[in-house]
Amino acid sequence: MAERKDGDDKCGGGISNGGESGGSAGVRYGGKGGGGSGYSSGDGGVGERNRRSMATPNITLIADVDVLRDDLTLKVRVINLCKHMSFNNKDDIWSIELILLDEQGTKIQATVWKKFLYRFKNILKDGSAFYIISPSFASQKPGSFKITPQDQKLTFVQQTVVKECIEFSGSIFGFSFVDYQTVLSLQHPEDLSVDVIGLVVAITEMMKDNPDRSRHRLTIHIQDASGLQVRVNLWGDYAYKMQDYIDNNPPNQRVVIIQFAKITVWRDRPSVNTYFTSSKLFINFDIDDSNLFKKSLDGDDRPDSSSNTISVIESKQLSELDDFIVKTKLKTIAEIFEPLSKTHFVIVGTIKGILQNEKWCYPACTNCSYRAFPDNGADDCIDFHLSNAKPTSYECRNQNCTKKTASVVPRFMIPIRVQDNTGTITLTMFEKEGRYLLKTSAKELFKKATEIGDNIDFYPGDINALKGLKLAFKISISDFNVLKKTNQYGISRISDNVDLIEQLEKKFTESQTDLTDSLDVCSGEFESQDNMHLKDEISGTDDNITPSTVDKNSATSPMKFLNTTPVLKRNLEEVFDLDINENLSSSKTPKVSVDGPRKKLLEIKLEKVAEFDLVLILKTMSILNFHEQF
């Protein structure tokens, strides 16, 4: 097997089975500047295949495709086939997406739209080779992530013909591995896919804080032969495939290949991510690339790879249950109106609306996600220039960010009004939560708004989908809130998990019940004390006045008096024949008791007032006057 020479690698195609020359220029499995072992994934026969392909006049290489021609014939292998399902019907295929590889090792994307699925879906198979005759071409979406570098992709239309190819001498997998240093130094374009191979040396716990399985994440760290490590995020089914392998296989060397992955950068730290259903994951496959990589780990100057242990990295993010139920206090909106100190709380509320007079997105630095500002000093400017116009230069003022001249992207900053049964408050929803709930990004909504000519100062109608959602919010009270005494808090996490919201509401109801029970006990104590006091006062008056004629329920707290005004007034007037508006006149005709006309009520003569407890009578008059006013 020939050793790779510097400058030879192009769009490498990988290996072929059984030791057959694979048609790949290859890339060393090592670090930068000669750190690799020198092994390549095969190259013998490339020139011969090229001459043979070029000698066939009817076959066009992918590198030579011309959008002006519609009579092309391509000889290719399908190295990736995935079905994209309809958004409204998960059982309905919307399109078939393909990655095609020719015998020279060049790749191109292709699409079969729903209209023509009936012609091709039963013919095309992943791993098989075909002749593609008379395909059409479509432009790649500007600025979108691309699996292959071309600006054009193939489309299968009515006149396209697909025939099986028996003799295909090209690669089977079409790997194009990149050097780790290219990833770590941010040299590889973020909008172009990448293939990496490495030894798994560390793994985190599976993150399942989202009910959507496709958003579950398993993070692994892989290492190359020179000791460099790259962080890889496996999402959804890829994460479960890796976890299942670890759980059900002996702890041997675990060499993984991630093909058609996406690089993302967060605060200057790059990571490799599986990309929806387009990526491929190979774990300890018995293929030449994996075996060659394992051999590259055996040199004397290589890091020790004999250990079968993998470090388990504990996740810094709490589970949804711990974060919302166990670790963070549950509050009502009324309890958090005043920002007293920097802290976090959980509330449950319903989004009632979106503020129209505030910005719904901001220009975020792509390196740290902090707000960036135009260098012309216009702090309020939102000018992302998603078109081909000359971009505005932005400055990142985050002291911890290493990029002072920043590229920017729109990110959500949606001011929402949230209500519970104690009040309404304004919260700010950021990109992560907005993207999850709206199923789109601020960048996409911003682009859509500018394309149709909408005023970006007003939030797009798509955001109205937030209205009416009942959610659990973990809110952050910052130093800024405390210093400026503003209660427009930021949202640090949300949950639409119905079971979790029910647990929070149950927890809140139980706390309210405990409080009510406590108040009832206190109220009973006060009532007994007041009745005892009233009994003592009455027993010190004239013997003709007995406690049995008094409604003891009236002798409670002032709130009890307010609630029993008619009863209180009737009972007191039955005991004391008083005319409030005529200064206790003793000349009125005695009233007849409800017990019958023969029983006369007690008349209080002014000359008898001295014989009563004057204090009690004055209190009674005061109470009656209060109720007459209201």
Side-chain angles (χ1 to χ4, degrees), residues 1-4 8 21-26 40-47 49:
M1 185 171 290
E3 180 175 342
R4 171 192 180 274
D8 282 348
S21 56
S24 170
S40 71
S41 56
D43 80 349
V46 173
R49 283 197 312 279

PDB file of all heavy atoms in Angstrom, residues 1-4 8 21-26 40-47 49:
ATOM      1  N   MET A   1       0.847  -1.192   0.000  1.00  0.00           N
ATOM      2  CA  MET A   1       0.000   0.000   0.000  1.00  0.00           C
ATOM      3  C   MET A   1       0.876   1.232   0.000  1.00  0.00           C
ATOM      4  O   MET A   1       1.814   1.344   0.791  1.00  0.00           O
ATOM      5  CB  MET A   1      -0.903   0.006   1.231  1.00  0.00           C
ATOM      6  CG  MET A   1      -1.897   1.142   1.244  1.00  0.00           C
ATOM      7  SD  MET A   1      -3.067   0.925   2.572  1.00  0.00           S
ATOM      8  CE  MET A   1      -3.973  -0.493   1.944  1.00  0.00           C
ATOM      9  N   ALA A   2       0.643   2.100  -0.904  1.00  0.00           N
ATOM     10  CA  ALA A   2       1.515   3.260  -1.090  1.00  0.00           C
ATOM     11  C   ALA A   2       1.372   4.236   0.055  1.00  0.00           C
ATOM     12  O   ALA A   2       0.298   4.419   0.601  1.00  0.00           O
ATOM     13  CB  ALA A   2       1.189   3.946  -2.413  1.00  0.00           C
ATOM     14  N   GLU A   3       2.516   4.869   0.390  1.00  0.00           N
ATOM     15  CA  GLU A   3       2.486   5.899   1.429  1.00  0.00           C
ATOM     16  C   GLU A   3       1.972   7.196   0.845  1.00  0.00           C
ATOM     17  O   GLU A   3       2.282   7.548  -0.291  1.00  0.00           O
ATOM     18  CB  GLU A   3       3.893   6.097   1.986  1.00  0.00           C
ATOM     19  CG  GLU A   3       3.942   7.159   3.089  1.00  0.00           C
ATOM     20  CD  GLU A   3       5.331   7.262   3.707  1.00  0.00           C
ATOM     21  OE1 GLU A   3       6.101   6.320   3.527  1.00  0.00           O
ATOM     22  OE2 GLU A   3       5.601   8.283   4.342  1.00  0.00           O
ATOM     23  N   ARG A   4       1.195   7.894   1.636  1.00  0.00           N
ATOM     24  CA  ARG A   4       0.628   9.160   1.191  1.00  0.00           C
ATOM     25  C   ARG A   4       1.711  10.206   1.092  1.00  0.00           C
ATOM     26  O   ARG A   4       2.590  10.310   1.930  1.00  0.00           O
ATOM     27  CB  ARG A   4      -0.441   9.626   2.183  1.00  0.00           C
ATOM     28  CG  ARG A   4      -0.955  11.043   1.935  1.00  0.00           C
ATOM     29  CD  ARG A   4      -1.758  11.485   3.130  1.00  0.00           C
ATOM     30  NE  ARG A   4      -2.278  12.825   2.956  1.00  0.00           N
ATOM     31  CZ  ARG A   4      -1.597  13.927   3.261  1.00  0.00           C
ATOM     32  NH1 ARG A   4      -0.371  13.852   3.708  1.00  0.00           N
ATOM     33  NH2 ARG A   4      -2.156  15.124   3.103  1.00  0.00           N
ATOM     34  N   ASP A   8      -1.185  15.269  -1.951  1.00  0.00           N
ATOM     35  CA  ASP A   8      -1.868  14.341  -2.841  1.00  0.00           C
ATOM     36  C   ASP A   8      -3.364  14.272  -2.591  1.00  0.00           C
ATOM     37  O   ASP A   8      -4.116  13.924  -3.486  1.00  0.00           O
ATOM     38  CB  ASP A   8      -1.289  12.928  -2.689  1.00  0.00           C
ATOM     39  CG  ASP A   8       0.042  12.798  -3.429  1.00  0.00           C
ATOM     40  OD1 ASP A   8       0.352  13.708  -4.207  1.00  0.00           O
ATOM     41  OD2 ASP A   8       0.735  11.790  -3.213  1.00  0.00           O
ATOM     42  N   SER A  21      -7.806  -2.060  -4.211  1.00  0.00           N
ATOM     43  CA  SER A  21      -7.415  -0.655  -4.154  1.00  0.00           C
ATOM     44  C   SER A  21      -8.637   0.226  -4.120  1.00  0.00           C
ATOM     45  O   SER A  21      -9.536   0.072  -4.928  1.00  0.00           O
ATOM     46  CB  SER A  21      -6.523  -0.302  -5.354  1.00  0.00           C
ATOM     47  OG  SER A  21      -7.171  -0.613  -6.560  1.00  0.00           O
ATOM     48  N   GLY A  22      -8.623   1.182  -3.190  1.00  0.00           N
ATOM     49  CA  GLY A  22      -9.846   1.904  -2.889  1.00  0.00           C
ATOM     50  C   GLY A  22     -10.032   3.203  -3.609  1.00  0.00           C
ATOM     51  O   GLY A  22     -11.081   3.803  -3.531  1.00  0.00           O
ATOM     52  N   GLY A  23      -9.047   3.692  -4.299  1.00  0.00           N
ATOM     53  CA  GLY A  23      -9.250   4.924  -5.044  1.00  0.00           C
ATOM     54  C   GLY A  23      -9.240   6.158  -4.189  1.00  0.00           C
ATOM     55  O   GLY A  23      -9.845   7.147  -4.532  1.00  0.00           O
ATOM     56  N   SER A  24      -8.559   6.137  -3.050  1.00  0.00           N
ATOM     57  CA  SER A  24      -8.523   7.311  -2.197  1.00  0.00           C
ATOM     58  C   SER A  24      -7.109   7.819  -2.094  1.00  0.00           C
ATOM     59  O   SER A  24      -6.171   7.052  -1.940  1.00  0.00           O
ATOM     60  CB  SER A  24      -9.043   6.975  -0.799  1.00  0.00           C
ATOM     61  OG  SER A  24      -8.785   8.037   0.073  1.00  0.00           O
ATOM     62  N   ALA A  25      -6.962   9.123  -2.170  1.00  0.00           N
ATOM     63  CA  ALA A  25      -5.644   9.706  -1.924  1.00  0.00           C
ATOM     64  C   ALA A  25      -5.314   9.634  -0.456  1.00  0.00           C
ATOM     65  O   ALA A  25      -4.159   9.638  -0.075  1.00  0.00           O
ATOM     66  CB  ALA A  25      -5.617  11.149  -2.398  1.00  0.00           C
ATOM     67  N   GLY A  26      -6.359   9.590   0.401  1.00  0.00           N
ATOM     68  CA  GLY A  26      -6.171   9.351   1.824  1.00  0.00           C
ATOM     69  C   GLY A  26      -5.751  10.576   2.595  1.00  0.00           C
ATOM     70  O   GLY A  26      -5.430  11.609   2.052  1.00  0.00           O
ATOM     71  N   SER A  40      -2.049   5.504   4.644  1.00  0.00           N
ATOM     72  CA  SER A  40      -3.191   6.091   3.951  1.00  0.00           C
ATOM     73  C   SER A  40      -4.246   5.015   3.807  1.00  0.00           C
ATOM     74  O   SER A  40      -4.000   3.845   4.079  1.00  0.00           O
ATOM     75  CB  SER A  40      -2.779   6.626   2.570  1.00  0.00           C
ATOM     76  OG  SER A  40      -2.499   5.544   1.691  1.00  0.00           O
ATOM     77  N   SER A  41      -5.432   5.405   3.355  1.00  0.00           N
ATOM     78  CA  SER A  41      -6.510   4.435   3.209  1.00  0.00           C
ATOM     79  C   SER A  41      -6.582   3.894   1.791  1.00  0.00           C
ATOM     80  O   SER A  41      -7.607   3.457   1.338  1.00  0.00           O
ATOM     81  CB  SER A  41      -7.841   5.071   3.597  1.00  0.00           C
ATOM     82  OG  SER A  41      -8.038   6.221   2.823  1.00  0.00           O
ATOM     83  N   GLY A  42      -5.455   3.923   1.067  1.00  0.00           N
ATOM     84  CA  GLY A  42      -5.408   3.289  -0.249  1.00  0.00           C
ATOM     85  C   GLY A  42      -5.312   4.291  -1.370  1.00  0.00           C
ATOM     86  O   GLY A  42      -5.867   5.359  -1.303  1.00  0.00           O
ATOM     87  N   ASP A  43      -4.508   3.955  -2.434  1.00  0.00           N
ATOM     88  CA  ASP A  43      -4.482   4.836  -3.593  1.00  0.00           C
ATOM     89  C   ASP A  43      -4.227   4.089  -4.891  1.00  0.00           C
ATOM     90  O   ASP A  43      -4.373   4.661  -5.961  1.00  0.00           O
ATOM     91  CB  ASP A  43      -3.430   5.946  -3.410  1.00  0.00           C
ATOM     92  CG  ASP A  43      -2.019   5.467  -3.715  1.00  0.00           C
ATOM     93  OD1 ASP A  43      -1.833   4.255  -3.868  1.00  0.00           O
ATOM     94  OD2 ASP A  43      -1.118   6.320  -3.810  1.00  0.00           O
ATOM     95  N   GLY A  44      -3.826   2.832  -4.824  1.00  0.00           N
ATOM     96  CA  GLY A  44      -3.438   2.115  -6.020  1.00  0.00           C
ATOM     97  C   GLY A  44      -4.559   2.044  -7.038  1.00  0.00           C
ATOM     98  O   GLY A  44      -5.682   1.761  -6.711  1.00  0.00           O
ATOM     99  N   GLY A  45      -4.247   2.287  -8.282  1.00  0.00           N
ATOM    100  CA  GLY A  45      -5.202   2.137  -9.357  1.00  0.00           C
ATOM    101  C   GLY A  45      -5.987   3.379  -9.691  1.00  0.00           C
ATOM    102  O   GLY A  45      -6.841   3.343 -10.567  1.00  0.00           O
ATOM    103  N   VAL A  46      -5.708   4.516  -8.991  1.00  0.00           N
ATOM    104  CA  VAL A  46      -6.473   5.728  -9.266  1.00  0.00           C
ATOM    105  C   VAL A  46      -6.268   6.195 -10.700  1.00  0.00           C
ATOM    106  O   VAL A  46      -7.204   6.476 -11.434  1.00  0.00           O
ATOM    107  CB  VAL A  46      -6.080   6.866  -8.282  1.00  0.00           C
ATOM    108  CG1 VAL A  46      -6.759   8.160  -8.677  1.00  0.00           C
ATOM    109  CG2 VAL A  46      -6.430   6.475  -6.869  1.00  0.00           C
ATOM    110  N   GLY A  47      -4.998   6.256 -11.117  1.00  0.00           N
ATOM    111  CA  GLY A  47      -4.699   6.728 -12.468  1.00  0.00           C
ATOM    112  C   GLY A  47      -5.306   5.831 -13.521  1.00  0.00           C
ATOM    113  O   GLY A  47      -5.843   6.298 -14.529  1.00  0.00           O
ATOM    114  N   ARG A  49      -7.980   3.916 -13.254  1.00  0.00           N
ATOM    115  CA  ARG A  49      -9.425   4.107 -13.306  1.00  0.00           C
ATOM    116  C   ARG A  49      -9.769   5.411 -14.014  1.00  0.00           C
ATOM    117  O   ARG A  49     -10.736   5.498 -14.756  1.00  0.00           O
ATOM    118  CB  ARG A  49     -10.023   4.119 -11.890  1.00  0.00           C
ATOM    119  CG  ARG A  49     -10.134   2.743 -11.280  1.00  0.00           C
ATOM    120  CD  ARG A  49     -11.088   2.778 -10.107  1.00  0.00           C
ATOM    121  NE  ARG A  49     -10.813   3.877  -9.192  1.00  0.00           N
ATOM    122  CZ  ARG A  49      -9.868   3.821  -8.259  1.00  0.00           C
ATOM    123  NH1 ARG A  49      -9.128   2.752  -8.125  1.00  0.00           N
ATOM    124  NH2 ARG A  49      -9.669   4.849  -7.447  1.00  0.00           N
TER     125      ARG A  49
END
